[in-house]
Every structure is written in structure tokens, then in C-alpha cells.
Amino acid sequence: MTYTALITATRCLRHDHVCCAECRSQRKGKKGGLLLEYRMSDTGPVQSLRPGWVPQLQMHCFAAGTPSVLVLSRSATRGLRLYRVVRNEAYIQRMLDCLTLLQTRHVSPQAVPDPSLYHGLTSHVELLDQTSRIAAGATLLLEVPSTPIVEGADDNAFWQGRMSKQ
């Protein structure tokens, strides 16, 4: 999967492109090479916003000063979904508090944090709960069930490992 973020004056856009190729098999070829066989494996755009994306999306809003972020999840053959996530000031502040704690206790003094850094901190538990709520509350703005095939495109060229001649 690849991720890119475009920041504009009024909105942030995050693009999630689902990879549709997966390695099916590999074997040794002649002269020590490796032959890989790929197959089409397009799971389609995400069905709902992933909670793991929420911190980055909220930081995009914070950095760009925007009221919301748009998330576009697209696949090569199975369409797209466009979601909106609204900026959440309380969430952003909790994230900054957690980062400040990490910075002051470990980064500045160059001390390795132990795995229980946030264990028992009410603000961290609330942050995790709020992350799930924000993801679940994302608004689906647009759904396109299939990605149109461009007229005249040789969609077989990639899979067969050949170039179309014109």
C-alpha cells in the first residue's frame, strides 16, 4: 500500500491505494535469477476507516490548520470510497500531551523508554478509546463500486510481462 498526503488551504487529503498484485510463487531461474509469478488480488477499498490512521489524519489537520481531512481509498479494479474525518481538538491535545511526555522523559535525556511508558495513564487510555470512536465516526461521502477501465488500454500487458506495440 502507498500513502500520500496533499495539504490544501481548506482540507487535507490522504490517498490510500490498495495494491492489487501479490506474489503467487517464486522459483530459481536460469543463470541464478529468480522468477516471480504474480496474480491479481484486489481486496478493494477499505470498508471503514482504520483506527491506526486517525493519529496521522488528526496531525494533518493540526499542521495544516484545516477543519477536516478527506481519505480516499481506491483499488485498481474494485472502485473507491471517500471519507471525511472532522478535526478533533481534544484528541489532538491528548496526542500532543503523550508526545510531550515521551520527549521530556526519554528523548531529551536520551533514555530508552520501557514498554510500560503509558501504562496506567488515564489520558493514554482515553486517547485509545477516542481513536476508535473517531475512526467509527468517519463519514462516507462517496462510493464508486468499480474502477472504470480506460478504453483502448491493454490491461493484460502488465500481467503477461509484455509491452503493447503501437
Side-chain angles (χ1 to χ4, degrees), residues 20-21 38-40 154-163:
C20 62
Y38 289 89
R39 71 178 181 98
M40 185 74 156
D154 182 4
D155 61 342
N156 198 30
F158 174 78
W159 303 110
Q160 298 301 321
R162 60 182 166 83
M163 300 291 288

Side-chain angles (χ1 to χ4, degrees), residues 1-3 5 10 17 22 39 43 46 56 60 62 80 84 104 108 115 135 142 151 155 159 161:
M1 236 179 266
T2 60
Y3 303 101
T10 57
H17 183 80
E22 112 180 348
R39 71 178 181 98
T43 59
V46 295
Q56 181 183 10
H60 282 317
F62 176 69
L80 61 87
R84 171 173 284 134
T104 57
S108 291
L142 175 69
E151 189 67 33
D155 61 342
W159 303 110

Side-chain angles (χ1 to χ4, degrees), residues 13-146:
L13 172 69
R14 176 191 170 116
H15 179 255
D16 163 45
H17 183 80
V18 179
C19 182
C20 62
E22 112 180 348
C23 185
R24 184 174 173 180
S25 67
Q26 65 181 34
R27 58 188 160 82
K28 289 187 178 183
K30 295 179 181 177
K31 299 182 184 177
L34 186 63
L35 297 174
L36 301 174
E37 184 179 344
Y38 289 89
R39 71 178 181 98
M40 185 74 156
S41 176
D42 191 347
T43 59
V46 295
Q47 296 294 315
S48 60
L49 193 77
R50 294 181 178 154
W53 293 349
V54 170
Q56 181 183 10
L57 297 173
Q58 290 296 318
M59 285 293 104
H60 282 317
C61 287
F62 176 69
T66 59
S68 66
V69 61
L70 299 174
V71 180
L72 177 66
S73 180
R74 179 182 180 278
S75 83
T77 63
R78 298 188 58 200
L80 61 87
R81 288 190 182 89
L82 180 65
Y83 298 91
R84 171 173 284 134
V85 179
V86 177
R87 180 183 179 131
N88 186 309
E89 291 297 332
Y91 183 84
I92 291 170
Q93 188 56 55
R94 280 194 180 106
M95 280 184 48
L96 294 174
D97 290 345
C98 285
L99 291 172
T100 299
L101 178 66
L102 180 65
Q103 174 69 30
T104 57
R105 288 189 184 173
H106 300 284
V107 176
S108 291
Q110 297 180 352
V112 176
D114 65 56
S116 64
L117 169 67
Y118 297 112
H119 181 72
L121 291 178
T122 305
S123 62
H124 186 250
V125 172
E126 290 170 355
L127 181 71
L128 296 177
D129 289 342
Q130 198 170 14
T131 300
S132 296
R133 286 194 306 273
I134 290 171
T139 305
L140 178 64
L141 300 176
L142 175 69
E143 182 172 9
V144 177
S146 66

